[in-house]
């Protein structure tokens, strides 16, 4: 899945009414939405999605937060998608995120940081497959 990445608008940003502004920023930054859905994660699904962080001090809080409300999941297409999207969303901690990034603009805190972006081509593929069927992805 080169040139694709996976994103979720997290429950804080959905609840605060930022879906439209965030999608506008994503699209005006050159990403094409290849697949998208608004949905909710059960705590089981959130645990599975963030399994790599199991055992870390913030894991339970992360799972609780990610299953606390609606999210918007999407597969995005652009040349150099993974790296460019990580730059567009900004640092994990919004206080350290650059001006103009999605997290700087819309995140509340490190735990409630508005948006997810895949960190590698391999994870982009795994995460896209987690949310979307083959028919939805192509
Ligand atoms: P994602 O795009 O959501 O994967 O974020 P990231 O890649 O920038 O960060 P990482 O994968 O390391 O952590 C996943 C999520 O766990 C982050 O987005 C945060 O919401 C949360 N998180 C990470 N570190 C901390 C922490 O030290 N404290 C708290 N409260 N949450 C954290
Ligand atoms: Mg991550």
């Amino acid at each position: 899945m080169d040139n694709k990445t996976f994103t979720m608008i997290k429950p804080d940003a959905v609840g605060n009414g930022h879906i439209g502004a965030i999608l506008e920023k994503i699209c005006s930054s050159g990403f094409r939405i290849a697949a998208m859905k608004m949905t909710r994660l059960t705590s089981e699904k959130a645990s599975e999605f963030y399994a790599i962080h199991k055992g870390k001090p913030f894991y339970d809080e992360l799972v609780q937060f990610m299953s606390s409300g609606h999210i918007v999941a999407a597969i995005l297409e652009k040349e150099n998608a993974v790296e460019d999207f990580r730059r567009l969303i900004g640092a994990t901690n919004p206080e350290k995120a650059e001006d103009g990034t999605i997290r700087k603009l819309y995140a509340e805190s490190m735990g409630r940081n508005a948006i997810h972006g895949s960190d590698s081509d391999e994870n982009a593929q795994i995460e896209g497959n987690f949310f979307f069927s083959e028919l939805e992805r192509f």
Side-chain angles (χ1 to χ4, degrees):
M1 197 155 108
D2 287 358
N3 298 328
K4 286 188 184 172
T5 191
F6 171 80
T7 188
M8 274 187 285
I9 303 177
K10 297 186 180 184
D12 58 323
V14 173
N16 289 330
H18 298 314
I19 295 174
I22 290 173
L23 291 178
E24 162 57 25
K25 187 136 183 85
I26 290 170
C27 294
S28 66
S29 300
F31 293 86
R32 187 184 81 82
I33 298 171
M36 186 167 72
K37 67 173 78 162
M38 187 166 179
T39 184
R40 279 195 71 158
L41 288 169
T42 60
S43 54
E44 290 72 25
K45 277 289 195 188
S47 306
E48 198 185 331
F49 186 86
Y50 280 112
I52 192 154
H53 296 299
K54 203 166 187 160
K56 293 186 187 163
F58 59 85
Y59 180 71
D60 289 348
E61 187 187 320
L62 176 61
V63 169
Q64 203 285 327
F65 166 61
M66 289 303 298
S67 55
S68 69
H70 286 81
I71 56 125
V72 175
I75 296 172
L76 304 174
E77 254 177 12
K78 183 185 181 295
E79 206 177 297
N80 204 34
V82 166
E83 194 186 335
D84 287 1
F85 194 70
R86 295 287 299 198
R87 190 170 311 117
L88 179 66
I89 70 179
T92 309
N93 181 348
E95 286 176 22
K96 295 185 179 151
E98 302 227 359
D99 283 350
T101 60
I102 292 172
R103 282 171 169 164
K104 181 72 170 197
L105 288 165
Y106 302 114
E108 296 178 356
S109 65
M110 180 90 150
R112 299 168 64 87
N113 63 358
I115 194 159
H116 163 80
S118 305
D119 59 13
S120 65
D121 287 348
E122 188 193 357
N123 283 335
Q125 180 157 14
I126 292 168
E127 291 167 3
N129 294 354
F130 185 90
F131 278 90
F132 296 99
S133 69
E134 191 173 359
L135 180 64
E136 290 169 320
R137 278 182 274 125
F138 294 101

